[in-house]
Amino acid sequence: MALKHADIIAKMTLEEKASLCDGLDYWHSQPVERVGIKSFSLNDGPHGIRKKGDPGDTPKGETNLLKGVPAICFPTASATACSWDTDLLYKMGEALGEECLKEKVSVLLGPGTNIKRSPLCGRNFEYFSEDGVLAGEMSAAFVNGVQSKGVGTSLKHYAANNQETRRMTVNSVVDERTLRETYLLPFEITVKKAQPWTIMNSYNRVNGTYAAENKWLLTDVLRKDFGFKGVVVTDWGAENERVPGLLAGQNLEMPTSNGEGNREIAEAVRDGRISEDQLNEMVDGVLDVIFKAKEVLGEHTYNEAEHHEFARKVAQDSMVLLKNEEDILPLNKDKKYAVIGQMAKKPRHQGAGSSLVNPIKLDNAFDTMFDRGINVTYAEGYALTKKEAKELISGKLSHYFGVSTDEATDEQYYKAVALVVRELMHQGLREFRNEADNVNSKKIYYLSMEFLMGRSLKNNLYNLNLTKVMADALKDYGISLEKLYDCEPDAGLGNGGL
């Protein structure tokens, strides 16, 4: 195979070539200053830049590993796929590319295009679809949009990474036809239509071999069958054995191995396990990304307000209204509406980890309704933070059972949680007591009285259409709503705290 950068590679020592196959730190490739090779940066994420901020800007006691510099927060793939609009994804990619230029990000780590095999996968919000064609077409549009600005992408997570549970070690056993027709299809479509600069291999094993060292996946299928011409980079910490990884067709280990990978590669070349030609081929791919990234380095800016409004448009165009019972939408400005719950003002946006964007501006339902002239009354309704909830639970355990959280039995703990939930729900409803001037608020007032009379938590949550909201909130504390129902205190104990 002819090398694009043979003249530069010929000037490098074995150790320098090996170093290019390893990260410099958490977010940069290795430079080789002696021959004029700079490093390039790789940063999250698929729905907004998560670039590590200045340590001086981080409040004491917090880490800035996850909290990045302020950036535009775009809707996740689970939303944008519902638009079926590749032009929209291309434009979103363009916007992200412009933001990468400002932040000097050379490769944006996204999009995620794994198949949604199970609703239990913790990264489903970050993936497009359970349909390989839709996922592939949306991914290709996104990649083409970003790369039109001279910024690279990293299509992930290759391959068969369809669950987060034990993702570092799980073995995805899939026959070849199913792999090609379902799980590899979005990668194939994206490679053939967009040629992402890099592809990120996954943590898991595929049919017994780790993806990071799976030659069939990385070379036979990806490079030979699909025609991929870029760099294969590991997911962060997904390297298993460095020498088998390079032999399988993996160019770059991230983050840094602190020199261990370099030494293993150099030693393997010296003893003949890796040919220098194969190492040169892997290095050539890394150099290609470095030189493409160098072309657009410089001072750039973008209009934050315009990008934020575009992010709102992406969200709007991705929404699908399945039912509009009694024509409740659009909201009637002549009516009054009750808004209950902290998430109306402090929404949970995106996911965690690589998608945790630090938004320049974050819209919320309450302010938006207020700005549009909708007549709303708000009640906090429940505790949102874990710290608040733990303090309330601890107080109930001490008051009713005379024990601390550590001393409490499971039954005591669940009863304390039930007390807290009922009290918070009642507190939120009670704030509407003076708003009984229409049918809706009268119903709310009536339901709040049911709490005082000891009616069941289950019925009240159902009547208020809050069952799912409460179940999701309790998941953060490892608590099952069904178990909570079973342990709900009797009326005397429960209402004594109200």
Side-chain angles (χ1 to χ4, degrees), residues 157-161 169-176 179-180 184 199-226 228 232-235 238-251 278 282:
H157 305 87
Y158 187 76
N161 178 191
T169 56
V170 70
N171 182 25
S172 300
V173 180
V174 196
D175 66 88
E176 183 174 350
L179 268 172
R180 287 183 178 272
L184 300 183
I199 284 182
M200 185 189 297
N201 68 241
S202 56
Y203 291 107
N204 55 287
R205 290 174 288 170
V206 179
N207 293 327
T209 304
Y210 281 102
E213 56 192 44
N214 194 313
K215 182 178 179 295
W216 182 81
L217 274 178
L218 303 185
T219 297
D220 297 346
V221 175
L222 183 60
R223 297 188 189 277
K224 293 180 179 178
D225 292 351
F226 295 173
F228 178 60
V232 173
V233 57
T234 66
D235 200 342
E239 187 69 82
N240 184 49
E241 296 287 347
R242 188 63 191 100
V243 172
L246 189 140
L247 288 170
Q250 174 227 112
N251 303 72
Q278 183 159 12
M282 294 296 102

Side-chain angles (χ1 to χ4, degrees), residues 275-322:
S275 71
E276 194 148 5
D277 286 345
Q278 183 159 12
L279 175 58
N280 291 345
E281 187 177 330
M282 294 296 102
V283 170
D284 195 55
V286 176
L287 287 174
D288 203 43
V289 172
I290 291 172
F291 292 130
K292 282 193 289 189
K294 184 179 179 181
E295 292 176 6
V296 294
L297 289 179
E299 296 303 316
H300 299 270
T301 188
Y302 67 93
N303 188 308
E304 293 178 356
E306 288 181 1
H307 278 221
H308 178 76
E309 284 306 308
F310 176 65
R312 287 177 60 108
K313 173 177 169 52
V314 174
Q316 175 182 310
D317 290 356
S318 299
M319 293 179 183
V320 179
L321 181 63
L322 297 178

